[in-house]
Amino acid sequence: GAVVSQHPSRVICKSGTSVKIECRSLDFQATTMFWYRQFPKQSLMLMATSNEGSKATYEQGVEKDKFLINHASLTLSTLTVTSAHPEDSSFYICSAARGGHTGELFFGEGSRLTVL
Amino acid sequence: AQKVTQAQTEISVVEKEDVTLDCVYETRDTTYYLFWYKQPPSGELVFLIRRNSFDEQNEISGRYSWNFQKSTSSFNFTITASQVVDSAVYFCALSEGYDSWGKLQFGAGTQVVVTP
């Protein structure tokens, strides 16, 4: 079964609203999680590194005020897309490493966001 | 600059044919990790293999095999006797350096279409 789970798997929202996506490590603690974004028929791009108990580290070009990341516990990271617009419609995927450094990497099932 | 290049956008084969997916990477680190993932239409990433830079041994797993050549910075993937269920997008990815563990840089992906 899945060891990293995302919720919701699909979400449709109106433009201007905020959407929260959860990423949970189910049977291990993850001090670091990663968030990726995938536009249709494109590759996955790393958005940010989520660090438990501290601020997330964002990749160049990713708006931190737009994509709020909170890693409040060792098993949960959340990505909030604030004031979503149609161009934010995408597939968002998280990952976490079990066993720490160079541990096995697990990806969540992904969350498909559609902004109307 | 693109660190992982998958030059083949799409490969179409007839069932039982072999298919080889190319992956060329670029890094200055001596320690790095290479991955292959399969992404079926459902969107979930399926882990196929991970290889570290110090292990150039080729690997075979059932119908799958990988050829890692540091001299040409390539990590190619072959599916032998392809089946319709192999139809998916395949991504090659790179994790550079010890401190960047878990931060994957994905190639553009190769769409494999296997027809009966």
Side-chain angles (χ1 to χ4, degrees):
Chain A
V3 292
V4 173
S5 181
Q6 281 183 244
H7 178 80
S9 56
R10 290 179 182 272
V11 57
I12 300 173
C13 70
K14 292 182 179 180
S15 189
T17 61
S18 294
V19 174
K20 181 185 285 187
I21 301 170
E22 294 184 346
C23 178
R24 291 183 185 274
S25 55
L26 299 181
D27 62 355
F28 65 98
Q29 294 180 332
T31 55
T32 303
M33 292 184 175
F34 303 92
W35 286 96
Y36 296 82
R37 180 176 185 176
Q38 185 181 30
F39 289 111
K41 298 194 182 297
Q42 293 191 28
S43 186
L44 289 84
M45 298 295 293
L46 179 66
M47 298 175 66
T49 302
S50 175
N51 304 299
E52 188 268 335
S54 64
K55 291 183 179 181
T57 306
Y58 290 82
E59 296 299 304
Q60 195 171 12
V62 178
E63 302 175 59
K64 55 185 69 176
D65 294 331
K66 172 71 153 176
F67 300 100
L68 299 179
I69 291 173
N70 188 338
H71 196 148
S73 78
L74 286 170
T75 59
L76 174 64
S77 174
T78 59
L79 168 68
T80 301
V81 183
T82 62
S83 187
H85 290 284
E87 57 265 30
D88 298 323
S89 298
S90 189
F91 193 55
Y92 294 89
I93 311 176
C94 69
S95 72
R98 182 171 68 183
H101 231 85
T102 68
E104 195 172 357
L105 283 174
F106 294 95
F107 281 84
E109 309 96 324
S111 299
R112 193 168 301 282
L113 169 64
T114 302
V115 185
L116 303 176
Chain B
Q2 188 75 14
K3 296 269 193 165
V4 179
T5 301
Q6 293 180 257
Q8 303 145 309
T9 304
E10 181 170 327
I11 301 175
S12 294
V13 296
V14 177
E15 218 172 11
K16 296 184 184 177
E17 288 184 342
D18 297 347
V19 56
T20 295
L21 311 181
D22 297 333
C23 173
V24 175
Y25 62 92
E26 180 186 331
T27 180
R28 293 183 177 181
D29 288 320
T30 55
T31 301
Y32 55 90
Y33 300 83
L34 295 163
F35 302 77
W36 275 96
Y37 287 90
K38 173 182 180 180
Q39 188 177 44
S42 63
E44 189 169 348
L45 283 177
V46 178
F47 169 79
L48 297 178
I49 191 171
R50 155 185 155 180
R51 178 64 84 228
N52 73 54
S53 52
F54 300 108
D55 182 4
E56 268 193 273
Q57 210 169 11
N58 292 328
E59 176 141 345
I60 298 174
S61 176
R63 295 185 297 107
Y64 295 166
S65 62
W66 291 269
N67 186 339
F68 180 21
Q69 299 272 356
K70 285 178 75 170
S71 59
T72 56
S73 296
S74 65
F75 187 43
N76 296 338
F77 170 39
T78 297
I79 303 173
T80 303
S82 61
Q83 299 175 2
V84 173
V85 292
D86 295 327
S87 296
V89 180
Y90 291 84
F91 290 99
C92 180
L94 167 71
S95 181
E96 292 182 283
Y98 185 78
D99 291 334
S100 295
W101 176 249
K103 297 174 68 171
L104 298 189
Q105 300 172 76
F106 286 84
T110 298
Q111 171 82 58
V112 172
V113 178
V114 183
T115 53

